[in-house]
Amino acid sequence: MTAVLPAPTDRDVYTEQHHALRTRVRAFLAEEVVPEYPGWRSAGSPSRRFWQRAGEIGILGIGIPEEYGGRSDTGFRDSAVVTEEIQRLGLAIGGLRVQTDICVPYLLHAASERQRKHWLPRLAAGETVAALGISEPGAGSDVKAMQTRAIRDGDHYVVNGAKTFISNGSIADLLILAAKTDPGRRRDGISLLLVDTHTPGFHTGRKLSKLGLEAQDLAELSFADMRVPADALLGEEGAGFRYLSTNLAAERLSIAVNSQAAASAAIGWTIERLAGTKPGQDVKFTIAGCAAQVAAGQALIDRAMTRLIAGTLSGGEAAAAKLYCTELQGRVVRSCLPLFPPGEAYRASSLIGQAHLDGRVSRIYGGSSEIMKVIISHDLGLSS
């Protein structure tokens, strides 16, 4: 099995530093997260204690320079290690990746020194939870169509509008908010604001009930004459769409890593479940076919990570990784599910059953599979 699905220690993309991190994360998840996880599913989000402990053991400091309270010499591969270990146990803690892989890079690349000093140490320590506010009720994938407005009024912006499907939305202390500061300029009129969620006029709406991802917070937000200080502007006014686009390749690769790890975990659980039995040829062939596909996905992921670290990962390559691995996740879990006894696979406590529900949305968020195909076709020179 190792020859087909290499162990992490056999993958060239990881170093001894990453293997040491994996050992610490695996122990943390097994000893502190797994016992609490059923309560998170009931509550609809991880406990605040989780964020504090994740900060204490260094998970939330990944990618953040030491001068801001983070861990030096860490980056995307460290986040990938954490993701792989989370999926190995069948946990849904996507809000963690939202903070480390999506929100933190905006602060690193576009924030002022004052903003970095204020927010990054709090994020690294787990004192602050971050969310990204883009999606709106009437403007899902079309960012340019957003209706939330942030109109300059002296030394403040007055914000009105609403967001939906916001991961970490109900627990966030910091919202990186996309809003139109110049509505007439479409995408060139979008800006990003760093919003303290305790600001008057900030309202948290419903926690959204989901098909799967029960322990991951998802909420509606609204803003009614919310006054945000002008110095909370992230980077340049009108540059929000450019900032949102800059990190898309890494965000999509993060989703791909999660899906790849989920597919690999599903095969592992299935083989463990069949241990001591004599599976028929059809079962063997099903697992063999899944294993070959997962091995191909792993090669694609490791190549993409190497190119991301080198600064050469293209949008088309990231889209290809997301397309392949998220679709792979669905195929593999769907193939493994019938290999478990029905009385086991369809129980709420079933890892494989929950994985079937949790995995469906990965083909939608971060850009649907259809959008990924559009990007790949453009990269191939097939644009009209």
Side-chain angles (χ1 to χ4, degrees), residues 150-159 199 226-231:
I151 305 303
R152 186 69 180 261
D153 180 27
D155 57 358
H156 284 77
Y157 287 96
V158 179
V159 182
T199 302
M226 179 176 70
R227 296 183 65 83
V228 178
D231 62 5

Side-chain angles (χ1 to χ4, degrees), residues 293-316:
Q293 294 178 65
V294 168
Q298 195 64 74
L300 182 63
I301 287 290
D302 288 355
R303 178 177 181 274
M305 279 204 287
T306 299
R307 292 180 68 81
L308 178 69
I309 294 160
T312 58
L313 180 68
S314 72

Side-chain angles (χ1 to χ4, degrees), residues 17 19-29 57-58 71:
Q17 172 183 304
H19 301 325
L21 172 64
R22 187 180 300 276
T23 299
R24 294 198 305 276
V25 171
R26 184 171 293 188
F28 167 62
L29 294 173
I57 68 172
R71 296 178 57 224

Side-chain angles (χ1 to χ4, degrees), residues 40-331:
W40 297 2
R41 288 177 62 180
S42 298
S45 63
S47 66
R48 206 66 195 199
R49 177 183 176 278
F50 163 74
W51 292 98
Q52 294 166 353
R53 288 290 294 133
E56 288 172 4
I57 68 172
I59 293 176
L60 298 180
I62 289 173
I64 297 177
E66 195 168 353
E67 63 189 287
Y68 301 117
R71 296 178 57 224
S72 60
D73 195 27
T74 59
F76 189 90
R77 286 177 294 178
D78 301 83
S79 288
V81 166
V82 176
T83 295
E84 288 170 358
E85 289 304 307
I86 287 171
Q87 284 300 328
R88 190 181 69 87
L89 295 172
L91 306 172
I93 321 176
L96 179 66
R97 287 187 298 110
V98 168
Q99 176 153 322
T100 59
D101 295 4
I102 297 178
C103 292
V104 164
Y106 287 109
L107 288 161
L108 293 174
H109 300 149
S112 67
E113 183 64 13
R114 183 194 64 79
Q115 290 169 338
R116 290 193 189 103
K117 286 182 177 178
H118 179 78
W119 289 113
L120 287 175
R122 291 169 169 80
L123 291 167
E127 297 171 4
T128 292
V129 176
L132 179 64
I134 302 177
S135 297
E136 296 188 359
S141 298
D142 187 4
V143 176
K144 300 186 295 297
M146 70 172 58
Q147 295 299 308
T148 298
R149 302 287 189 255
I151 305 303
R152 186 69 180 261
D153 180 27
D155 57 358
H156 284 77
Y157 287 96
V158 179
V159 182
N160 287 280
K163 300 291 180 179
T164 191
F165 303 127
I166 306 303
S167 296
N168 293 344
S170 73
I171 60 173
D173 307 288
L174 167 66
L175 178 69
I176 301 176
L177 175 65
K180 290 278 187 72
T181 48
D182 189 347
R185 299 185 65 198
R186 292 181 59 75
R187 73 178 189 181
D188 292 330
I190 297 173
S191 301
L192 301 183
L193 298 172
L194 298 176
V195 178
D196 184 325
T197 61
H198 298 95
T199 302
F202 184 105
H203 302 289
T204 302
R206 294 179 301 163
K207 257 190 176 182
L208 300 174
S209 180
K210 305 176 297 299
L211 182 67
L213 300 179
E214 293 176 337
Q216 183 168 320
D217 177 37
L218 198 70
E220 296 175 327
L221 306 175
S222 63
F223 323 102
D225 292 329
M226 179 176 70
R227 296 183 65 83
V228 178
D231 62 5
L233 177 70
L234 182 64
E236 302 173 15
E237 187 172 289
F241 188 85
R242 173 160 52 89
Y243 297 147
L244 293 172
S245 302
T246 298
N247 198 44
L248 271 179
E251 291 174 18
R252 286 167 175 161
L253 182 55
S254 174
I255 295 170
V257 168
N258 187 72
S259 290
Q260 170 67 26
S264 181
I267 293 177
W269 303 333
T270 306
I271 292 173
E272 288 176 10
R273 183 63 183 79
L274 294 172
T277 68
K278 295 182 178 180
Q281 188 177 71
D282 57 337
V283 172
K284 292 178 183 177
F285 281 12
T286 295
I287 296 175
C290 288
Q293 294 178 65
V294 168
Q298 195 64 74
L300 182 63
I301 287 290
D302 288 355
R303 178 177 181 274
M305 279 204 287
T306 299
R307 292 180 68 81
L308 178 69
I309 294 160
T312 58
L313 180 68
S314 72
E317 290 171 317
K322 182 184 185 296
L323 173 65
Y324 183 84
C325 292
T326 56
E327 294 289 344
L328 170 70
Q329 178 184 11
R331 289 196 304 272

